[in-house]
Structures are given as C-alpha cells and as structure tokens.
Amino acid sequence: MSRTTNAALRERALVIRETRSAYLFLLPSLVFFLGFVVLPMVLCVFTSFFDSTMGADTQDVFVGLKNYQNLFADPIFRKALANTFIIVVVSVPVVCVFSLWVSSLIYKMRGPVLSSFRVIFYLPVVTGSVAVTVVWKWMFNNYYGIFNYLGKSTGIIHENINWLGDERFALACIILILMTTSVGQPIVLYVSALGNVDDSVVEAAKVDGATNFQLFWKIKWPAIMPTTLYILVITMINSFQCFALIQLLTSGGPNHSTDTVMYYIYYTAFKLYDYGYANAMGVVLAIIIAVLSAVQFRVTRER
C-alpha cells in the first residue's frame, strides 16, 4: 500500500474520530432540544386537533379543525390578537430606532464611560422581570405613584389617574414598560456593530466630502444590516410573547384591554383547563411569528 493511501486512511480515521467526538459533545444539548423543544411542539400541534381538558378524567375527543374555527369566532381572541399586533407595531420600530440613535451617540466613547452606559441600559435585561415590574407598578399606582405625583405637581393632570385600571391608558403603559426593558440588548449589539465598521472606509468617504447622513446611510447602515435583522426578529418575537407584564400588572384587564395572545393561551390552558383550544392558539401564534420573521429575512436580504 502506497504512502499516499496510508495518509488518506489516517486522515479519514481522524475525521471520523473528530466527528464522533463532536456529536458526543452535542448529545446532551440535542437530547434536551428534542425532549423539551421539538417534542412539546409536536404534541402542541397534535393536541390542537382534540377537545382536550387538563386534569379531566374524560378522554380526549378528536374535533379536527373545530378549535381553529372557534378561534376566529372568539371575540376575546380577536381582541388579544389585535392588542398583540398593536404592541409589536409600536414597540419594535421604536426600540430599534431608539437603540440605534443611542448607540450612534455613545459607540465612539472609550473606557469606563462607554462601559457605564452599557451597564445602565443593559441593567433591566439582567434584572429579574418581577422586580422591574414591581417598580413600574409602584410608579403607576393611582394613589401614591410617581407619575400621578409629578403630573399633579406640574399641573398636567388635576386628579389621580388609574393608569393600569383605565382602558384608555392600560395598554399604552404596558407598551412603555416593554420598550424600556427591551432596549438594553439592541444597544449593546449596535455599539459593537458600529465599532466594527471599517474606519478606513469612513475616513475615505469623509475625504471625498460625504456628509454625516451619507456616511451613515451608504457605509454604516449596510455594514450593520445583519445586526439590525437580528434585532428586528428578536424584538418582534419578544413583543409577540409579551406575558409577564400582563400577568403581573393587569391580568388582561380592564375589560380585556391588555389581553395578549400569550396571556390568553395561559388563561385558557391553566385557568379554564381547555388544553386543546390553548394549543390551537399557540400554533396560530407560531405561524404568525414564523411568517413575519421570514418576510423580514427576505426583505432585508433583498436590500
């Protein structure tokens, strides 16, 4: 056997051993992913075709598409879906634009100043959602909340407002809280992306007489497009899955004015014990998120 053949066999054996080792290292994560992500997703889709009641002794009854038909005849679901889209349409653009604006102001800073800004904006992300929500609940309190105090002190309002108990303000308050707790990660990502833009290209454009707007639109914006796509998709998914704020602040009230699809899924499954109907809502929500994410990827890639 020639020396070349022996070398090829040794190389092939090495590749096989490396591949086997890689799969062994991936095995724990793969088992977790299959058992706690893929399997529940399959069961969710499967159960959505049944009249399934959690904790009941009755056997599940196959109802086909009845759960899906009932969804769009359900006024509460339609209201929750509308509220969810309002949250997404308002919060996603504001979070992305505000994060990019702040990042453009601070990304050239160095040392402890930049680190301080990163910590300040990222702190709500690493702080427990319950703790952050409790602080906001105190600020919106209709008796001793800081917003009512400042409003009456400055003459903007003349009497206390029940911010979270009034249909006119409750959803807006939820959106405000969601936006303030969502800007931390995009700012950190944008700061890193802007810092990685090739300075030589920027300097060359300045020499050619490019304005600040042209520098941003023609050079920086295309360079940070992958980061922007990631931020758009992640922020959109988080907005669609808004639940903790609703659960801790309003429980969907008043009069379903702050219901979201995620909260209605929770309420249907764990309060009404209608597991099949809740899973049908989950499937519809997953399809909506998947379609909108695909559209964002397509539009961004074309640009």
Side-chain angles (χ1 to χ4, degrees):
M1 188 176 291
S2 66
R3 183 178 303 176
T4 304
T5 304
N6 289 334
L9 290 175
R10 287 197 300 270
E11 183 178 356
R12 183 179 179 183
L14 178 61
V15 170
I16 292 175
R17 287 198 302 270
E18 290 179 346
T19 304
R20 187 185 300 118
S21 300
Y23 278 114
L24 287 175
F25 278 110
L26 290 173
L27 185 60
S29 297
L30 182 61
V31 170
F32 180 87
F33 178 76
L34 292 175
F36 294 95
V37 178
V38 176
L39 180 60
M41 289 173 60
V42 173
L43 292 176
C44 176
V45 176
F46 178 77
T47 313
S48 68
F49 298 105
F50 287 81
D51 182 5
S52 177
T53 304
M54 292 184 63
D57 296 330
T58 57
Q59 188 175 5
D60 294 349
V61 179
F62 180 76
V63 294
L65 297 175
K66 183 179 179 181
N67 286 328
Y68 293 94
Q69 294 171 349
N70 292 339
L71 274 182
F72 297 98
D74 184 353
I76 300 179
F77 175 75
R78 294 201 302 267
K79 179 66 173 177
L81 187 61
N83 289 339
T84 303
F85 271 105
I86 291 172
I87 291 173
V88 172
V89 169
V90 174
S91 64
V92 172
V94 172
V95 167
C96 292
V97 172
F98 178 79
S99 301
L100 181 57
W101 175 66
V102 172
S103 303
S104 300
L105 296 178
I106 68 174
Y107 83 98
K108 289 185 177 180
M109 298 179 180
R110 294 291 181 266
V113 178
L114 179 59
S115 299
S116 299
F117 276 111
R118 282 175 170 171
V119 170
I120 291 171
F121 286 109
Y122 201 73
L123 192 59
V125 179
V126 297
T127 306
S129 59
V130 175
V132 174
T133 304
V134 168
V135 173
W136 277 100
K137 189 172 185 178
W138 167 77
M139 294 172 68
F140 281 121
N141 188 276
N142 56 313
Y143 294 110
Y144 50 81
I146 190 171
F147 288 116
N148 278 326
Y149 172 78
L150 292 176
K152 292 175 69 175
S153 300
T154 57
I156 297 176
I157 60 176
H158 301 290
E159 58 182 13
N160 288 348
I161 296 176
N162 187 6
W163 298 100
L164 298 174
D166 192 320
E167 294 183 36
R168 297 173 297 173
F169 307 111
L171 186 61
C173 294
I174 295 297
I175 294 174
L176 174 63
I177 300 171
L178 180 64
M179 290 190 298
T180 58
T181 56
S182 300
V183 297
Q185 185 180 24
I187 288 176
V188 172
L189 293 174
Y190 269 137
V191 167
S192 177
L194 289 170
N196 289 328
V197 176
D198 192 345
D199 289 334
S200 62
V201 178
V202 176
E203 293 300 327
K206 287 182 179 179
V207 171
D208 291 338
T211 63
N212 289 333
F213 177 78
Q214 290 172 330
L215 287 174
F216 174 79
W217 188 248
K218 297 295 185 179
I219 298 175
K220 296 180 181 180
W221 178 246
I224 64 174
M225 184 60 72
T227 303
T228 301
L229 174 61
Y230 174 80
I231 290 172
L232 283 173
V233 172
I234 294 301
T235 306
M236 182 197 68
I237 293 174
N238 291 338
S239 299
F240 266 111
Q241 295 179 338
C242 181
F243 168 75
L245 294 177
I246 311 296
Q247 167 69 3
L248 295 171
L249 292 176
T250 64
S251 297
N255 194 26
H256 303 290
S257 62
T258 58
D259 262 336
T260 60
V261 176
M262 279 297 297
Y263 180 79
Y264 193 39
I265 291 173
Y266 158 79
Y267 180 82
T268 303
F270 298 105
K271 298 292 185 180
L272 303 180
Y273 303 106
D274 194 347
Y275 194 45
Y277 191 56
N279 280 343
M281 282 189 277
V283 172
V284 170
L285 180 63
I287 292 173
I288 292 173
I289 293 175
V291 170
L292 292 179
S293 299
V295 169
Q296 287 182 335
F297 274 105
R298 183 67 177 269
V299 171
T300 307
R301 184 174 56 190
E302 290 177 353
R303 291 185 178 181

